[in-house]
Amino acid sequence: MTDPRHVPPSAGPRYQQVADALARDIARGLYEVGSLLPTEAQLCTLFNVSRHTVREATRRLVDVGLISRQAGVGTRVKARTTAARYTASLGSLSELVEYIHSTRLTLLSAGSVAADARLAETLHCRRGQRWFQLRTLRYPVDRSEPIAYTEIHVPPQFRDIEQDIDGGTVSILRQIELRSGERVVEVLQEIGACAIPAPQARLLGVAPRSPGLQVLRTYRGAGERTLCASLIVSPAHRFTLSTRWRLEQGAPIGPHAPADRASPAPA
Amino acid sequence: MTDPRHVPPSAGPRYQQVADALARDIARGLYEVGSLLPTEAQLCTLFNVSRHTVREATRRLVDVGLISRQAGVGTRVKARTTAARYTASLGSLSELVEYIHSTRLTLLSAGSVAADARLAETLHCRRGQRWFQLRTLRYPVDRSEPIAYTEIHVPPQFRDIEQDIDGGTVSILRQIELRSGERVVEVLQEIGACAIPAPQARLLGVAPRSPGLQVLRTYRGAGERTLCASLIVSPAHRFTLSTRWRLEQGAPIGPHAPADRASPAPA
DNA sequence: AAGTGGTCTAGACCACCGA
DNA sequence: CGGTGGTCTAGACCACTTA
């Protein structure tokens, strides 16, 4: 019942049928990876459609990465099949950072520090590197038990960022972006478990060495310059991080609302 | 009103100029979010180009999420500016799952279970739901200390998956995909910290209630059918999860056009 | 210089939506 | 029903690559 060659002439618009046929032929190996597809003119006669239709068809295949076009050269086969890619995406940095909307921050301290051995390892920087450090606690608006302890580190030249940090890391990032003219280009995130050290445990109202989630985020501009690094420590069960990975189909149809977000653990 | 034509006419093809002009007008607020753009015919006369060119222009704007088109209705403005998007991507599921390449798995047990209250909550399923459960330990090839305890749950109809699980979750997923004809379309991942319960702690060689990382992954096919759910528990410091988020530029090369997002987001 | 894809025009018919 | 975007044709000129 499942003969792959039995594929009915695919339905839908002509360009889709052409695209499907080409994709099938590529998968079949009729057109090998690296070789050139027939020219658009040839495809026109081959499928008996206008050039516009051929281009609409090949455009789809370009979009899914099967082929690429180059003026003056031709249309080259890039891959035999569309690789399965799973992606997660964020609408903005705030979705990564503001794990709970209705939270408030309190600033514990702000000052210049030099990285000791532990901090250097955590932030992947040289020992002795100087940072301007903000230490904060994040609370749900309606409770007095903090969710997380956060250390935010920025390069010393940004030490005079406005310290109304209620906007959290995002507003700090925005200020840095404005002042440096750089854009956050990538965020490296490392998640692990830890035994919460006594000082933080005291702040968070849990027993020393009790289980905690530790999230390190390094915000980088172009050229791998670190614009900000934040370290979050949160007792177990106070929140979880969720990410939704979705298969990226060839044709990105339909709305997707994937988001990495953190959600509070049920109380 | 300022004359928008004082802006230097953007370079490039005609459709790009049209797209730029429209994007500028949307950003300016001339066309409000939610409202309809002029019809394609109107845009043709407005810019004095053919309909093909107008469509090529609006297609770009659709790709970057500024507008959407609907046959019979019109072209609607979806956002005032292209929001910064950060995406993370995986080449395949194995990058998500096989956190360390050189590991080996040992099977502790395999059997049918009914979800008790705890499991039901963990897996977000009904209490009493039946699963075929595999319990495993993952070791680095060169050490005897396990890095993680993993429970893999699959729907009972897949209970006779081949139990040579050395391939890990991925090979199990592949088998399920083959047998069900379904594809893993999305993966929901929840990460939290926990105090490792005594039984698992014993298996992992750590003290009961010591800190652990807990990762729940739910693999879903189309229609939100759960094909597999895995629960990983790993003692602190034995491994960390890293993710790299990258800024996705507005109109990059291959229009892996993210579909529209509802949230206009940050002010 | 010949041939490729890139762009653009002018015109046509269709399915679908809303009044 | 009239108007919208969706599809498709036929033809044209261009910039570019390759020989």
Side-chain angles (χ1 to χ4, degrees):
Chain A
M1 75 178 180
T2 51
D3 184 349
R5 287 163 307 176
H6 248 153
V7 197
S10 52
R14 298 279 273 124
Y15 66 78
Q16 191 60 56
Q17 301 175 25
V18 173
D20 290 347
L22 287 175
R24 232 179 9 244
D25 289 342
I26 290 171
R28 246 186 341 127
L30 177 58
Y31 305 119
E32 289 184 20
V33 173
S35 68
L36 290 175
L37 236 47
T39 70
E40 297 185 346
Q42 290 170 329
L43 291 176
C44 287
T45 47
L46 208 55
F47 291 101
N48 192 31
V49 294
S50 75
R51 187 165 165 226
H52 173 84
T53 302
V54 162
R55 283 184 63 75
E56 191 67 38
T58 52
R59 181 206 296 272
R60 308 297 168 123
L61 301 184
V62 170
D63 283 356
V64 304
L66 277 184
I67 64 177
S68 70
R69 302 188 289 203
Q70 192 185 355
V73 179
T75 306
R76 199 170 292 280
V77 179
K78 302 289 286 189
R80 190 157 170 165
T81 58
T82 65
R85 286 180 65 83
Y86 289 83
T87 64
S89 91
L90 303 167
S92 72
L93 278 185
S94 45
E95 290 183 33
L96 183 65
V97 181
E98 310 298 347
Y99 30 85
I100 304 180
H101 279 298
S102 46
T103 60
R104 59 196 162 83
L105 275 184
T106 60
L107 182 63
L108 297 173
S109 72
S112 192
V113 299
D116 58 12
R118 189 192 64 83
L119 188 61
E121 189 195 334
T122 309
L123 297 188
H124 305 302
C125 67
R126 302 183 311 281
R127 201 179 307 191
Q129 169 141 17
R130 300 208 65 84
W131 295 95
F132 186 66
Q133 182 189 64
L134 302 164
R135 295 168 58 245
T136 69
L137 281 179
R138 189 179 288 270
Y139 296 84
V141 281
D142 55 346
R143 267 182 270 171
S144 57
E145 184 181 62
I147 302 173
Y149 164 85
T150 305
E151 281 177 9
I152 300 171
H153 301 84
V154 301
Q157 64 262 37
F158 300 123
R159 59 168 303 133
D160 50 347
I161 50 176
E162 192 189 329
Q163 285 178 25
D164 164 25
I165 57 155
D166 277 0
T169 314
V170 166
S171 75
I172 290 176
L173 286 171
R174 216 180 301 283
Q175 284 187 58
I176 292 178
E177 285 186 342
L178 283 175
R179 300 164 61 95
S180 68
E182 279 200 271
R183 189 90 187 267
V184 172
V185 164
E186 68 176 4
V187 183
L188 303 176
Q189 175 177 267
E190 288 178 27
I191 305 170
C194 66
I196 302 178
Q200 285 87 334
R202 190 162 40 248
L203 290 166
L204 292 165
V206 295
R209 319 250 353 121
S210 59
L213 191 69
Q214 178 173 306
V215 181
L216 170 69
R217 297 204 180 101
T218 308
Y219 300 85
R220 290 175 153 181
E224 307 206 332
R225 269 184 297 280
T226 296
L227 301 178
C228 179
S230 72
L231 178 67
I232 302 174
V233 176
S234 173
H237 308 303
R238 292 207 189 157
F239 84 90
T240 58
L241 281 164
S242 4
T243 313
R244 179 153 95 142
W245 299 92
R246 301 207 70 189
L247 177 62
E248 189 164 287
Q249 297 288 7
I253 198 147
H256 75 340
D260 173 297
R261 64 174 219 286
S263 50
Chain B
M1 189 204 304
T2 57
D3 186 348
R5 274 164 300 187
H6 278 180
V7 184
S10 51
R14 204 79 183 81
Y15 66 78
Q16 190 61 56
Q17 300 176 25
V18 173
D20 289 347
L22 287 175
R24 221 168 35 232
D25 289 342
I26 290 170
R28 262 200 313 142
L30 176 58
Y31 305 120
E32 290 184 18
V33 173
S35 69
L36 290 175
L37 236 48
T39 69
E40 297 184 346
Q42 289 171 329
L43 292 175
C44 286
T45 47
L46 207 55
F47 291 101
N48 193 32
V49 294
S50 75
R51 188 164 165 227
H52 174 83
T53 303
V54 163
R55 283 183 64 74
E56 192 67 38
T58 52
R59 181 205 299 272
R60 308 297 169 122
L61 301 185
V62 170
D63 282 355
V64 301
L66 278 184
I67 64 177
S68 69
R69 302 189 289 203
Q70 192 185 355
V73 179
T75 306
R76 200 170 291 279
V77 179
K78 301 291 286 189
R80 190 159 171 163
T81 59
T82 66
R85 286 187 82 76
Y86 290 83
T87 62
S89 85
L90 303 167
S92 70
L93 279 185
S94 45
E95 289 182 35
L96 182 64
V97 181
E98 311 297 346
Y99 29 85
I100 303 180
H101 280 297
S102 46
T103 60
R104 57 193 163 84
L105 273 185
T106 60
L107 182 62
L108 298 173
S109 72
S112 191
V113 299
D116 60 11
R118 189 192 64 81
L119 188 61
E121 190 195 333
T122 309
L123 298 187
H124 305 304
C125 68
R126 301 184 312 280
R127 200 179 309 187
Q129 170 141 16
R130 301 208 65 86
W131 295 94
F132 186 66
Q133 183 189 62
L134 303 163
R135 295 168 60 245
T136 69
L137 281 180
R138 187 179 290 270
Y139 296 83
V141 281
D142 54 347
R143 263 180 278 169
S144 58
E145 185 180 61
I147 53 177
Y149 164 85
T150 305
E151 282 176 8
I152 301 171
H153 301 84
V154 300
Q157 63 262 37
F158 301 123
R159 60 169 304 138
D160 49 345
I161 50 175
E162 192 190 330
Q163 285 179 25
D164 164 24
I165 57 156
D166 277 359
T169 314
V170 165
S171 74
I172 290 177
L173 286 171
R174 219 180 301 282
Q175 286 189 56
I176 292 178
E177 285 186 339
L178 283 175
R179 302 166 60 93
S180 68
E182 279 201 271
R183 190 90 187 266
V184 172
V185 164
E186 69 176 6
V187 183
L188 303 176
Q189 174 176 267
E190 287 177 29
I191 306 170
C194 66
I196 302 179
Q200 284 87 335
R202 189 162 41 246
L203 291 165
L204 291 165
V206 295
R209 319 251 353 122
S210 61
L213 190 67
Q214 177 174 308
V215 181
L216 170 68
R217 297 203 180 105
T218 308
Y219 301 84
R220 289 174 153 182
E224 307 205 332
R225 270 183 297 280
T226 296
L227 300 179
C228 177
S230 72
L231 178 67
I232 302 173
V233 176
S234 171
H237 307 303
R238 293 210 186 154
F239 84 93
T240 59
L241 282 164
S242 327
T243 313
R244 179 168 166 203
W245 300 90
R246 261 172 295 235
L247 177 61
E248 187 166 290
Q249 300 291 359
I253 305 188
H256 275 299
D260 47 8
R261 276 197 74 75
S263 58

